[in-house]
Amino acid sequence: MYPVRFSGARAEGGVIHLEGPWFQGRVEGYRKEGHAFLRVFVYHRPEDAGKGSWVVEGLAPLPLFLEGGRVLGEGVGLELDLDPFGLRFSGLRAPLLLAGALVPVGLPEEMVRLSQEGDALKEVLDGLPLGSGYGLLLAEEEGRRYYGLGERTGFLDKKGRRWTNWATDDPHHHPDTDPLYQAHPFLLAKEGERAWGLYLDETWRTVFDLAFTDPETSLVYTEGPTFDLYLIPGPAPLDVVRAYTALTGRAPLPPLWALGYHQCRWSYPDEKTVRKVAEGFWERDIPLEALWLDIDYMEGYKVFTHDPHRFPDLGRLAGDLRARGVKLVAIVDPGVKKEEGYPVYEEGRARGYFVRNRKDEELVGAVWPQPAVWPDFTREEVRDWWGGLHRFYLERGVAGIWNDMNEPAAFQVEGRPAPGKTLPSTAKHGDRWHAEVHNLYGLLMSRATFEGLRRLEPGRRPFVLTRSGFAGVQRYAWVWTGDNSSYYEHLEMSLPMLLNLGLSGVPFVGADIGGFSGDADGELLCRWTWLGAFYPFMRNHSGKGSRRQEPWAFGKRWERCIREAIRFRYRLLPHLYTLAEEASRTGLPLLRPLFLHHPQDPRAEAVHDQALLGEDLLLAPALRPGQTHRLVYLPQGVWYQAFTGEMYASGFHPAPTPLEGIPLYQRAGAAIPFTDPLPHTEGALPWRSLVWQVALGEEIRGRLYEDEGDGYAPGLEALLEGGFDPVSRRLYLRLKDPNLARRLRVEARLLGVRTLREATVPWRKEEDILLDLRAGEAEAWL
Ligand code: MIG
């Protein structure tokens, strides 16, 4: 590799143009929703000058000018070196941009092999005159930590390892497996309380070597022919997340039901089994929102079909379940069975919609359907077609779509085992190599599905779950973390995995509760369901060959505990839905690492086994069998144990971890809306019963968002405000609630308050004191 050099820089039309004998570049300023961004773009082929983006859109220009070596614009600044090219930005010193293929780090085995086959590599890389690839060197700072990068194994801080973006189906991943299904070339760097972000808008394989090969240096590498980098100034971690989601897009508000409890298995083999599982929930009074159909509902793994014997009438099944509030979700894989007379194949072939091989023939491989071909989702007409096919499911009452195997995963290609379990880099999507668009496959498939559902049922909010995705996938789908195993280690790892996905802009995420591969047991499933009650996406799923893991699978002892966890989830729904609405507006995830709200606290920086739900609830799950206690770290502020009401100051404390529950803390001053558990969410809004759980504080505040739970009618907001004066012991609460008259019960639970001297409203005592809030106002002396 050799340094990129420029001989001059000039400002023109608010853009800084970089010129050199081999390389050209631009620094551009942008603005969106009050956030400023800098784009540093370097290329060497004239045809790349106008490179677009698959993800970023709707930016307004922010004019830049040059002052000495500094690039300045309103609210942003960057220092440049031209020869060799380097930059300084916020806390980032990036002394060198290197060009040329970086064989030891970046290149996949397949490409190395191709390179040994003469000029094939040159062809893959489109005959680049200078080889290919760029790597930006970052000077490391001791106190810097890195987060983001989407879905990853490991702990919270991603420094010290090398991470690759190359969507990969790895069904048996381990603590150090990389890469996995998602590709998010995004970093959030934190240095003390300041943070900055970096998004590499490149869809080719990219590599983030974070002080791994060399502790003094990190490397951000792309194997593609351009280097397209967005810099996000911060200055707080919260600003970086808000700005990054302004840049790459936000998740739309999901239908309320998506936040309920989901039950899945590969597979419930026939209609009878599906009905029996539903009965199992109803008999035991366990809430159930949706049952999921895995690949065996299809006839011969053909998408947009159902098996005539095992699932003779999907519509009737969906209708019967729906009558009791339960939705059906069906899996749709991208691999289309190549079979004469199968209309999806015939139509796709006639229109030339499938991915082609390097000889420009239909690329034939094998996945669950054998043989199989793959739609080319990079083309809009293919996405439109695919989206429209979903009419099949909607007509049969299916409520949501589950996209799997969309890395894309392939078992074989052209009669041979598929290297890397995917399509060859030389496959063609239109005139692009698979190498360029591989990472986009899941994103674009989800987009096709989401847009199709929205077109077909414009009055409803689509629900799509995807396994693979790229930066921005949150605009179209929820994400689950693929094939974990029934290990306590994977229970533990799920939290940092979901937290980093959240920081990477994907708020609606979950891991398979109970673990997908391997055999769960009652205690593991109980612990996992309690943690899962806080996953934005709460689904129990298990794989073929593993023990069944419905809530009652391990006997009464465990059923009790699991039922409690699922019921707790339903109590929490008013708050979860409020946070979901916030996520759709601000990009902030539901589940957040401690440091996001406590950036000044060094002890919060690496905590991987606790999380915040919103800003006000802190959870600290039990993660080992037989565990009776664990250490909990509470950041700045006063906290109340959310079940027992005990008060804690910031710091460490040993907490008991009983099976019925989870160590959960509520920030002093926070009011959280809870409801009574319902069997499902049909007709639940507006909440008939609301209990605002108040953790006393000098200032008290809580928010509730409500709408119809689906569709696009505007929503309403309820606010609880007030305060507690510790000297006079006077508590004042005022509720502004436009739906007040429609509720049967509205109360404030005074967390940890056991006695009350006097109140202006009716009150009663359970474990804690409950004040009637139907008058919209209450005063009490404690
Ligand atoms: O090759 O559809 O991650 O959730 O149950 C396995 C069967 C394919 C992988 C998914 C898993 C799903 C399974 N699928």
Side-chain angles (χ1 to χ4, degrees):
M1 294 192 96
Y2 38 85
V4 168
R5 300 174 190 281
F6 294 110
S7 44
R10 66 190 162 80
E12 199 186 295
V15 171
I16 311 305
H17 296 265
L18 307 171
E19 279 144 11
W22 289 352
F23 296 99
Q24 309 294 310
R26 294 196 298 274
V27 182
E28 298 164 348
Y30 290 106
R31 198 186 276 301
K32 193 171 177 187
E33 295 174 19
H35 301 284
F37 306 92
L38 290 172
R39 176 186 184 219
V40 178
F41 176 56
V42 175
Y43 63 99
H44 57 85
R45 303 183 307 182
E47 65 264 36
D48 290 323
K51 173 189 177 290
S53 174
W54 292 93
V55 173
V56 175
E57 57 182 35
L59 300 182
L62 169 73
L64 301 178
F65 52 92
L66 268 176
E67 210 182 83
R70 294 176 62 84
V71 174
L72 294 172
E74 210 188 310
V76 280
L78 174 71
E79 278 177 66
L80 291 182
D81 293 325
L82 294 183
D83 186 8
F85 180 64
L87 57 90
R88 277 176 300 280
F89 169 80
S90 266
L92 167 66
R93 261 183 322 119
L96 213 52
L97 179 65
L98 297 169
L102 186 71
V103 176
V105 176
L107 283 187
E109 267 172 49
E110 183 207 359
M111 283 205 179
V112 174
R113 182 177 59 73
L114 283 170
S115 75
Q116 287 155 0
E117 288 169 11
D119 62 358
L121 178 68
K122 247 172 74 198
E123 192 183 318
V124 170
L125 299 174
D126 215 4
L128 304 182
L130 300 168
S132 186
Y134 293 89
L136 183 70
L137 294 188
L138 317 183
E140 263 323 313
E141 302 287 337
E142 232 177 88
R144 183 186 295 161
R145 293 186 185 270
Y146 287 115
Y147 309 93
L149 289 169
E151 163 207 44
R152 299 289 167 181
T153 58
F155 295 93
L156 190 65
D157 179 355
K158 303 329 269 182
K159 196 167 174 177
R161 280 179 59 182
R162 187 170 62 209
W163 310 97
T164 296
N165 288 298
W166 184 257
T168 301
D169 174 10
D170 193 329
H172 295 289
H173 51 264
H174 298 290
D176 58 358
T177 299
D178 191 77
L180 287 176
Y181 314 90
Q182 295 268 324
H184 294 257
F186 164 69
L187 276 185
L188 186 163
K190 181 175 183 297
E191 295 164 10
E193 56 189 289
R194 291 180 59 94
W196 47 267
L198 169 166
Y199 169 55
L200 185 62
D201 193 23
E202 294 288 354
T203 60
W204 299 76
R205 179 188 310 260
T206 56
V207 179
F208 288 64
D209 180 319
L210 302 181
F212 171 72
T213 304
D214 169 6
E216 306 297 321
T217 316
S218 289
L219 176 76
V220 173
Y221 172 79
T222 169
E223 73 179 22
T226 57
F227 187 81
D228 194 350
L229 182 74
Y230 285 84
L231 298 168
I232 305 169
L238 275 171
D239 300 315
V240 175
V241 178
R242 288 195 192 105
Y244 177 61
T245 54
L247 190 67
T248 57
R250 306 233 160 91
L253 181 61
L256 172 67
W257 69 265
L259 293 167
Y261 175 82
H262 302 265
Q263 183 65 49
C264 188
R265 179 168 172 86
W266 178 26
S267 288
Y268 295 129
D270 51 31
E271 176 173 330
K272 210 173 106 209
T273 313
V274 173
R275 289 177 188 274
K276 217 170 144 223
V277 173
E279 293 288 347
F281 281 86
W282 297 334
E283 272 164 24
R284 294 172 176 84
D285 250 330
I286 305 176
L288 173 65
E289 205 65 44
L291 288 172
W292 290 53
L293 300 181
D294 207 324
I295 49 178
D296 295 297
Y297 77 84
M298 293 179 260
E299 184 182 25
Y301 300 129
K302 281 178 287 189
V303 284
F304 311 102
T305 72
H306 61 88
D307 186 280
H309 306 293
R310 289 176 292 106
F311 287 91
D313 192 341
L314 272 188
R316 195 184 54 204
L317 176 63
D320 291 349
L321 293 173
R322 197 50 180 256
R324 298 195 59 175
V326 174
K327 274 68 68 184
L328 215 49
V329 178
I331 197 169
V332 177
D333 288 353
V336 169
K337 185 156 192 193
K338 180 178 163 67
E339 184 181 284
E340 303 296 319
Y342 169 38
V344 178
Y345 172 67
E346 297 265 0
E347 205 173 289
R349 179 179 59 182
R351 299 187 188 177
Y353 282 174
F354 299 119
V355 175
R356 306 185 74 77
N357 67 16
R358 57 194 298 182
K359 294 183 222 130
D360 201 33
E361 305 147 350
E362 187 176 84
L363 180 108
V364 183
V367 57
W368 290 107
Q370 315 197 350
V373 295
W374 284 266
D376 174 9
F377 293 115
T378 64
R379 289 148 62 194
E380 194 180 342
E381 71 269 25
V382 180
R383 293 198 297 270
D384 285 350
W385 170 68
W386 187 261
L389 294 174
H390 289 76
R391 182 186 301 280
F392 172 85
Y393 295 103
L394 298 183
E395 280 175 357
R396 287 162 179 77
V398 169
I401 299 295
W402 171 22
N403 285 163
D404 186 22
M405 305 300 272
N406 53 0
E407 293 68 31
F411 300 156
Q412 282 181 14
V413 169
E414 300 186 326
R416 284 185 298 182
K421 210 177 166 188
T422 191
L423 308 188
S425 291
T426 51
K428 300 291 301 241
H429 301 245
D431 51 15
R432 291 181 160 79
W433 298 110
H434 185 70
E436 177 180 353
V437 293
H438 170 83
N439 282 330
L440 289 168
Y441 201 84
L443 172 96
L444 294 173
M445 181 190 188
S446 313
R447 178 171 171 188
T449 309
F450 177 89
E451 290 176 346
L453 295 177
R454 205 176 41 187
R455 263 197 322 276
L456 291 165
E457 285 193 335
R460 287 187 43 211
R461 302 176 200 161
F463 175 73
V464 181
L465 178 74
T466 186
R467 190 170 71 177
S468 188
F470 187 73
V473 66
Q474 64 273 7
R475 287 152 67 177
Y476 311 112
W478 290 27
V479 169
W480 101 104
T481 58
D483 299 342
N484 59 2
S485 298
S486 298
Y487 303 151
Y488 278 89
E489 287 81 354
H490 279 188
L491 166 68
E492 177 174 6
M493 191 170 73
S494 71
L495 206 44
M497 209 179 232
L498 300 181
L499 290 173
N500 276 307
L501 262 167
L503 293 173
S504 308
V506 192
F508 298 110
V509 290
D512 286 346
I513 292 171
F516 175 78
S517 303
D519 296 324
D521 62 31
E523 185 178 353
L524 178 66
L525 186 60
C526 158
R527 294 305 197 184
W528 212 320
T529 313
W530 268 105
L531 177 57
F534 296 84
Y535 289 170
F537 174 50
M538 185 186 192
R539 185 184 71 162
N540 173 317
H541 182 37
S542 55
K544 216 159 240 186
S546 67
R547 290 165 93 177
R548 292 280 292 252
Q549 61 187 39
E550 290 78 26
W552 53 87
F554 303 104
K556 284 265 176 276
R557 164 76 201 88
W558 303 109
E559 180 187 319
R560 248 191 346 260
C561 152
I562 294 161
R563 181 202 287 114
E564 269 324 294
I566 300 174
R567 285 199 182 154
F568 183 76
R569 168 68 167 209
Y570 277 74
R571 287 181 206 278
L572 196 57
L573 281 176
H575 186 51
L576 282 169
Y577 195 56
T578 302
L579 291 173
E581 189 274 341
E582 184 185 336
S584 70
R585 238 178 333 106
T586 66
L588 294 184
L590 288 72
L591 213 49
R592 305 172 190 173
L594 270 48
F595 77 80
L596 199 57
H597 289 288
H598 303 276
Q600 74 298 340
D601 181 349
R603 277 174 300 190
E605 283 187 332
V607 176
H608 79 282
D609 60 353
Q610 302 182 190
L612 293 165
L613 183 72
E615 186 174 356
D616 299 327
L617 287 177
L618 182 150
L619 53 132
L623 299 168
R624 287 295 178 267
Q627 191 169 4
T628 61
H629 287 77
R630 63 156 288 170
L631 201 60
V632 174
Y633 179 65
L634 297 172
Q636 194 179 46
V638 172
W639 297 84
Y640 288 82
Q641 218 286 2
F643 295 101
T644 65
E646 289 154 81
M647 194 175 94
Y648 293 94
S650 157
F652 292 94
H653 82 95
T657 53
L659 288 163
E660 261 88 21
I662 184 169
L664 182 67
Y665 302 82
Q666 185 170 327
R667 203 167 59 87
I672 310 275
F674 286 88
T675 191
D676 298 326
L678 296 163
H680 53 74
T681 63
E682 289 282 300
L685 283 168
W687 306 105
R688 302 300 181 283
S689 167
L690 267 189
V691 178
W692 291 88
Q693 179 160 294
V694 174
L696 295 185
E698 291 190 26
E699 248 180 72
I700 294 169
R701 210 188 131 77
R703 176 173 184 269
L704 170 76
Y705 171 82
E706 286 175 300
D707 55 20
E708 286 168 11
D710 202 345
Y712 297 94
L716 294 169
E717 164 181 274
L719 289 176
L720 182 71
E721 281 163 342
F724 175 65
D725 176 6
V727 180
S728 65
R729 310 274 311 156
R730 173 180 172 269
L731 169 73
Y732 174 70
L733 294 175
R734 188 194 153 89
L735 178 65
K736 286 184 234 145
D737 180 357
N739 278 326
L740 193 60
R742 301 173 68 183
R743 309 199 198 280
L744 302 176
R745 169 158 89 109
V746 194
E747 288 177 322
R749 170 189 299 278
L750 308 182
L751 190 57
V753 176
R754 308 276 189 248
T755 57
L756 179 147
R757 279 187 287 146
E758 200 185 330
T760 57
V761 294
W763 59 277
R764 64 199 174 90
K765 186 174 175 340
E766 281 179 0
E767 190 73 349
D768 304 308
I769 302 289
L770 287 142
L771 289 180
D772 197 324
L773 277 183
R774 265 174 309 187
E777 226 172 350
E779 233 178 322
W781 287 264
L782 312 181

Short mmCIF file of all heavy atoms in Angstrom, two decimals, residues 266 294-295 331 368 402 404-405 411 467 480 482-483 512 516 539 541, ligand 1:
data_model
loop_
_atom_site.label_atom_id
_atom_site.label_comp_id
_atom_site.label_asym_id
_atom_site.label_seq_id
_atom_site.Cartn_x
_atom_site.Cartn_y
_atom_site.Cartn_z
N TRP A 266 -38.46 -23.82 14.74
CA TRP A 266 -38.20 -24.44 13.46
C TRP A 266 -38.38 -25.93 13.64
O TRP A 266 -37.52 -26.58 14.15
CB TRP A 266 -36.78 -24.12 13.00
CG TRP A 266 -36.41 -24.77 11.71
CD1 TRP A 266 -37.23 -25.17 10.70
CD2 TRP A 266 -35.08 -25.12 11.30
NE1 TRP A 266 -36.52 -25.72 9.69
CE2 TRP A 266 -35.20 -25.71 10.02
CE3 TRP A 266 -33.81 -24.99 11.88
CZ2 TRP A 266 -34.09 -26.18 9.31
CZ3 TRP A 266 -32.71 -25.44 11.18
CH2 TRP A 266 -32.84 -26.04 9.90
N ASP A 294 -42.10 -21.21 10.37
CA ASP A 294 -40.77 -21.38 9.78
C ASP A 294 -40.90 -22.15 8.45
O ASP A 294 -42.02 -22.50 8.04
CB ASP A 294 -39.85 -22.07 10.79
CG ASP A 294 -38.38 -21.71 10.60
OD1 ASP A 294 -37.97 -21.55 9.44
OD2 ASP A 294 -37.65 -21.61 11.60
N ILE A 295 -39.78 -22.44 7.83
CA ILE A 295 -39.79 -22.88 6.42
C ILE A 295 -40.65 -24.09 6.07
O ILE A 295 -40.92 -24.31 4.90
CB ILE A 295 -38.35 -23.15 5.91
CG1 ILE A 295 -37.58 -24.05 6.89
CG2 ILE A 295 -37.61 -21.86 5.71
CD1 ILE A 295 -36.17 -24.40 6.43
N ILE A 331 -42.21 -16.94 7.41
CA ILE A 331 -40.84 -16.74 6.93
C ILE A 331 -40.84 -16.67 5.41
O ILE A 331 -41.62 -17.37 4.74
CB ILE A 331 -39.93 -17.88 7.43
CG1 ILE A 331 -38.43 -17.52 7.31
CG2 ILE A 331 -40.20 -19.18 6.68
CD1 ILE A 331 -37.51 -18.51 8.01
N TRP A 368 -32.30 -23.84 0.88
CA TRP A 368 -33.34 -24.81 1.23
C TRP A 368 -34.03 -25.33 -0.04
O TRP A 368 -34.10 -26.53 -0.24
CB TRP A 368 -34.31 -24.25 2.27
CG TRP A 368 -33.60 -24.13 3.58
CD1 TRP A 368 -33.16 -23.00 4.19
CD2 TRP A 368 -33.15 -25.22 4.39
NE1 TRP A 368 -32.47 -23.30 5.34
CE2 TRP A 368 -32.44 -24.66 5.48
CE3 TRP A 368 -33.23 -26.62 4.30
CZ2 TRP A 368 -31.87 -25.43 6.49
CZ3 TRP A 368 -32.66 -27.39 5.30
CH2 TRP A 368 -31.99 -26.79 6.38
N TRP A 402 -41.00 -12.50 7.92
CA TRP A 402 -39.70 -12.80 8.52
C TRP A 402 -38.74 -13.16 7.39
O TRP A 402 -38.92 -14.16 6.72
CB TRP A 402 -39.92 -13.98 9.49
CG TRP A 402 -38.71 -14.62 10.07
CD1 TRP A 402 -37.46 -14.10 10.22
CD2 TRP A 402 -38.66 -15.94 10.65
NE1 TRP A 402 -36.64 -15.00 10.82
CE2 TRP A 402 -37.35 -16.13 11.11
CE3 TRP A 402 -39.61 -16.95 10.81
CZ2 TRP A 402 -36.95 -17.32 11.72
CZ3 TRP A 402 -39.20 -18.14 11.43
CH2 TRP A 402 -37.90 -18.31 11.88
N ASP A 404 -35.20 -14.36 6.23
CA ASP A 404 -34.05 -15.13 6.72
C ASP A 404 -33.12 -15.40 5.52
O ASP A 404 -33.48 -15.13 4.38
CB ASP A 404 -34.58 -16.43 7.32
CG ASP A 404 -33.49 -17.26 7.99
OD1 ASP A 404 -32.45 -16.69 8.37
OD2 ASP A 404 -33.69 -18.49 8.13
N MET A 405 -31.96 -15.95 5.78
CA MET A 405 -31.03 -16.44 4.74
C MET A 405 -30.67 -15.34 3.73
O MET A 405 -30.31 -15.63 2.59
CB MET A 405 -31.64 -17.64 3.98
CG MET A 405 -32.09 -18.78 4.88
SD MET A 405 -30.76 -19.51 5.87
CE MET A 405 -30.12 -20.75 4.75
N PHE A 411 -26.02 -22.84 0.06
CA PHE A 411 -25.33 -24.08 0.41
C PHE A 411 -24.38 -24.49 -0.73
O PHE A 411 -23.30 -24.98 -0.50
CB PHE A 411 -26.32 -25.21 0.68
CG PHE A 411 -27.28 -24.92 1.82
CD1 PHE A 411 -28.52 -25.56 1.89
CD2 PHE A 411 -26.95 -24.02 2.83
CE1 PHE A 411 -29.40 -25.30 2.94
CE2 PHE A 411 -27.82 -23.75 3.88
CZ PHE A 411 -29.06 -24.39 3.93
N ARG A 467 -32.68 -11.00 9.14
CA ARG A 467 -31.46 -11.48 9.77
C ARG A 467 -30.25 -10.69 9.28
O ARG A 467 -29.42 -10.26 10.06
CB ARG A 467 -31.25 -12.97 9.46
CG ARG A 467 -30.13 -13.55 10.29
CD ARG A 467 -30.07 -15.05 10.18
NE ARG A 467 -29.60 -15.50 8.88
CZ ARG A 467 -29.39 -16.77 8.55
NH1 ARG A 467 -29.63 -17.73 9.43
NH2 ARG A 467 -28.96 -17.10 7.35
N TRP A 480 -33.10 -9.62 14.28
CA TRP A 480 -32.73 -10.54 15.36
C TRP A 480 -31.35 -11.09 15.08
O TRP A 480 -30.87 -11.01 13.96
CB TRP A 480 -33.80 -11.62 15.55
CG TRP A 480 -33.51 -12.96 14.97
CD1 TRP A 480 -33.11 -14.08 15.64
CD2 TRP A 480 -33.60 -13.36 13.59
NE1 TRP A 480 -32.96 -15.13 14.76
CE2 TRP A 480 -33.26 -14.72 13.50
CE3 TRP A 480 -33.94 -12.68 12.41
CZ2 TRP A 480 -33.23 -15.42 12.29
CZ3 TRP A 480 -33.92 -13.37 11.20
CH2 TRP A 480 -33.57 -14.73 11.16
N GLY A 482 -29.86 -13.92 14.85
CA GLY A 482 -29.52 -15.18 14.19
C GLY A 482 -29.37 -16.33 15.16
O GLY A 482 -29.93 -16.34 16.25
N ASP A 483 -28.56 -17.29 14.72
CA ASP A 483 -28.53 -18.57 15.42
C ASP A 483 -27.58 -18.58 16.61
O ASP A 483 -26.44 -19.03 16.52
CB ASP A 483 -28.16 -19.69 14.43
CG ASP A 483 -29.18 -19.79 13.32
OD1 ASP A 483 -30.31 -19.28 13.49
OD2 ASP A 483 -28.85 -20.38 12.28
N ASP A 512 -32.78 -14.76 20.03
CA ASP A 512 -33.69 -15.89 20.28
C ASP A 512 -33.68 -16.24 21.77
O ASP A 512 -32.66 -16.68 22.30
CB ASP A 512 -33.27 -17.11 19.45
CG ASP A 512 -33.61 -16.95 17.98
OD1 ASP A 512 -34.38 -16.03 17.63
OD2 ASP A 512 -33.09 -17.75 17.17
N PHE A 516 -31.21 -20.72 20.18
CA PHE A 516 -31.70 -21.41 18.98
C PHE A 516 -31.16 -22.85 18.92
O PHE A 516 -31.92 -23.82 18.93
CB PHE A 516 -31.29 -20.62 17.74
CG PHE A 516 -31.64 -21.29 16.45
CD1 PHE A 516 -32.93 -21.27 15.96
CD2 PHE A 516 -30.65 -21.94 15.69
CE1 PHE A 516 -33.25 -21.90 14.76
CE2 PHE A 516 -30.96 -22.55 14.50
CZ PHE A 516 -32.26 -22.53 14.03
N ARG A 539 -38.91 -12.67 21.36
CA ARG A 539 -39.34 -13.91 20.70
C ARG A 539 -38.55 -15.11 21.22
O ARG A 539 -37.32 -15.09 21.26
CB ARG A 539 -39.12 -13.81 19.17
CG ARG A 539 -39.67 -15.02 18.42
CD ARG A 539 -39.36 -14.96 16.93
NE ARG A 539 -37.93 -15.17 16.68
CZ ARG A 539 -37.43 -15.51 15.50
NH1 ARG A 539 -38.23 -15.65 14.45
NH2 ARG A 539 -36.12 -15.67 15.35
N HIS A 541 -37.43 -18.74 20.35
CA HIS A 541 -37.25 -19.51 19.11
C HIS A 541 -36.24 -20.62 19.35
O HIS A 541 -35.30 -20.43 20.12
CB HIS A 541 -36.76 -18.58 17.99
CG HIS A 541 -36.59 -19.25 16.66
ND1 HIS A 541 -37.44 -20.23 16.18
CD2 HIS A 541 -35.66 -19.06 15.67
CE1 HIS A 541 -37.03 -20.61 14.97
NE2 HIS A 541 -35.96 -19.93 14.65
O1 MIG B 1 -30.50 -22.88 7.62
O2 MIG B 1 -35.55 -21.45 8.63
O3 MIG B 1 -31.55 -18.24 11.65
O4 MIG B 1 -34.00 -18.78 12.82
O5 MIG B 1 -35.26 -21.20 12.15
C1 MIG B 1 -31.29 -22.52 8.72
C2 MIG B 1 -34.84 -22.27 9.49
C3 MIG B 1 -32.34 -21.55 8.29
C4 MIG B 1 -31.90 -19.99 10.07
C5 MIG B 1 -32.53 -18.99 10.99
C6 MIG B 1 -33.41 -19.71 11.97
C7 MIG B 1 -34.46 -20.49 11.23
C8 MIG B 1 -33.80 -21.48 10.28
N1 MIG B 1 -32.90 -20.76 9.37
#
